[in-house]
Amino acid sequence: MNATFRSTLMAGAGLSALLAAGAADAQPAAGEGVYRQEALAHARAVTTAWRRLESHILAGSAGTPDADGASVSGWSGAIPPADSGWLATWTLRGVRARYCEDTLLVYLAPERLKGVGRDHRAVQSAPHAYAAGGAEGRTPVLHWLENGRAVGASGRPSVTLPACLSDAVLGGPLPSGRAALAGRVPDPYAHTNERVTRERRVEACGAGEHGNGRTEVREVTQVHDDRGNPIGDPAYGPWQVLIDECRADYTAWEHYTLTCHWNAGPPHNRRMEGREIWRRPKSVTAAGETLGPPEFVSTSCWTGMTPTPPTAVVTESARDETKTESCPPDYTGSRSYRRTETRRATQFPWDAEPVVRISHGPWILETDNCTAVIPPDWDDGGGVDGGEDEGTGDPGGDSCTADPDMDWDMDWDAGPDEDSCGGDGGDGGGDGGGCFLTTAIVERRGVEADDGPTLTALRAFRDGYMMQTAKRRALVAEYYGIAPRIAAVIPEGHSDWDWIGARVDGAIAAIGAGDEDAAFAIYVGMVRRLGTRWLAPAGQCPGTANTDSTAGLGA
């Protein structure tokens, strides 16, 4: 059969002759369907293995440096690497692979195959003879491996196999009479190329020079593999000057000519004119141009006249510029600024136009009408702004208000005493910054002491910013009047304690950012809302009309 096939192939016969050459080993007609399926399965295993290994070589393998520092494919030895997917189900069909000198060969190693026996010809022709899709959709036949050659047929070109595929390292000599698939797969790690790029830089002029500097370039040579990965270190060429805009500093004389004229007396009675020549030194350095004082050189005017050094005509004018800016968020009004613009014009007799220099003074604040937007007083007994749904809550006790006879300690530095708001050693009006603040920060969180960073920052804010105006000092005094009452009526575990903590964190963040006005607005809004929610009007218990034990204060 093999001799018949080789003679037929050499004669250029088609697929029908190839199939006839293997008819002697064909299975009975009764098992023809199973026979074809097995042949096609063997052929697909060879094709799948070849494509998977091709993808591994081109895109999936990890390059390793060889002795010369070049990168080569991660495939070494006779067996493909495990990460290529070699250990797949098709390996059970006896598929083997070899790769060297950019040539990939996949072939069926066993002599006898499942379902087709020794009929490797049926496997070779199966992709074209048995695949579905019609004659136009079928693929070419596989290669025929014979005496170290991959012979093609019916549209499949032959592939010359390198001698290294038969080396002992890859498994020794190749078998003959096998269905196979071979092709060239260049290893991107084994092929390199040089890329030459140019680097550009601008160097400033040196001492004693002026100008825009020197533009220099140099070539950078880098070796890359076919995947674009750099190999080794780049080689840098020398810097070369491309554009030189540096000039040596110098000082030279500039000459100017002035006209002089006079009216001659009798008997001529005519106008006479002459010329005066003046000069001045001009120095050009990196700092700019400077001109020295003018000097007289010569004159052709009337003999005996004394030349007068030319003087510059200097005019100077000033005008005011103004601008208006809006106030920051949470403020109303505006701020206006003023600055002075000075225009100085200098013109020597030889200048066609005066040289004008404009300078500006700093912006000066003229008026500041910005005022903080302060919510209405928090103890007016009104409802919460924004139309929030106010339900009922547990006041935390059976009395409507705190003891009216309690003497709240108004001393800024007073410590806790029997009149402190909490009644349990709370800070009251002392350095804690307020009863419910101490409760929310120290007692509720449990991670910060009374002298911790939060209350320390609030004390500094109170003793500094809040003491700057009479209105703010009055707000502090009013706060110490209602803070104990608020802390006394908010129930244990109420969500308002978490809301208070979030507001305090926002105020601390504003203070840390230097925006004390924003911290002031947050603080005033927080106290006002707590007052309207938890302090009821006269004759009404707190928490019965203005509170909501489930909704809290909101965001």
Side-chain angles (χ1 to χ4, degrees), residues 256-492:
Y256 303 93
T257 301
L258 304 179
T259 61
C260 54
H261 56 83
W262 65 96
N263 294 322
H268 302 290
N269 293 327
R270 60 176 179 156
R271 182 183 178 89
M272 303 182 67
E273 294 184 352
R275 298 288 185 271
E276 290 181 357
I277 299 176
W278 293 77
R279 68 178 184 180
R280 60 180 176 181
K282 176 181 178 180
S283 298
V284 181
T285 64
E289 296 183 1
T290 57
L291 298 174
E295 298 180 3
F296 173 74
V297 177
S298 63
T299 181
S300 60
C301 295
W302 184 268
T303 304
M305 291 185 61
T306 302
T308 302
T311 58
V313 178
V314 180
T315 58
E316 188 172 286
S317 62
R319 69 182 185 91
D320 288 339
E321 291 183 339
T322 60
K323 70 174 182 179
T324 302
E325 292 183 350
S326 59
C327 296
D330 298 326
Y331 281 80
T332 60
S334 61
R335 294 186 178 118
S336 62
Y337 297 85
R338 176 184 57 82
R339 73 174 180 181
T340 302
E341 179 188 88
T342 303
R343 299 172 61 90
R344 182 183 179 89
T346 304
Q347 184 175 16
F348 280 93
W350 48 78
D351 293 329
E353 297 290 338
V355 178
V356 179
R357 291 180 173 83
I358 301 176
S359 61
H360 295 89
W363 286 107
I364 300 175
L365 179 64
E366 286 282 290
T367 59
D368 186 354
N369 298 322
C370 294
T371 56
V373 178
I374 304 176
D377 294 340
W378 56 74
D379 60 349
D380 58 0
V384 179
D385 290 344
E388 296 177 343
D389 185 14
E390 302 299 329
T392 60
D394 182 5
D398 56 0
S399 63
C400 291
T401 62
D403 185 356
D405 296 330
M406 294 180 71
D407 182 15
W408 304 112
D409 190 355
M410 298 301 292
D411 183 29
W412 301 117
D413 295 322
D417 55 27
E418 61 181 1
D419 290 332
S420 62
C421 66
D424 57 354
D427 195 12
D431 286 339
C435 293
F436 63 83
L437 290 181
T438 304
T439 304
I441 301 304
V442 178
E443 299 177 12
R444 298 290 173 179
R445 292 185 176 180
V447 296
E448 185 174 324
D450 179 72
D451 58 352
T454 302
L455 294 181
T456 299
L458 290 177
R459 293 187 189 102
F461 176 72
R462 176 200 64 192
D463 297 339
Y465 179 86
M466 295 298 293
M467 296 294 106
Q468 291 177 357
T469 65
K471 187 173 184 178
R472 296 176 192 166
R473 292 192 292 271
L475 290 175
V476 172
E478 187 174 1
Y479 162 73
Y480 283 135
I482 68 171
R485 297 162 55 195
I486 294 174
V489 298
I490 299 179
E492 177 75 21

Side-chain angles (χ1 to χ4, degrees), residues 45-76:
V46 173
T47 303
T48 302
W50 198 91
R51 291 176 178 172
R52 187 172 298 176
L53 294 175
E54 177 192 34
S55 176
H56 172 76
I57 295 171
L58 295 178
S61 63
T64 56
D66 59 13
D68 297 330
S71 294
V72 296
S73 173
W75 185 336
S76 61

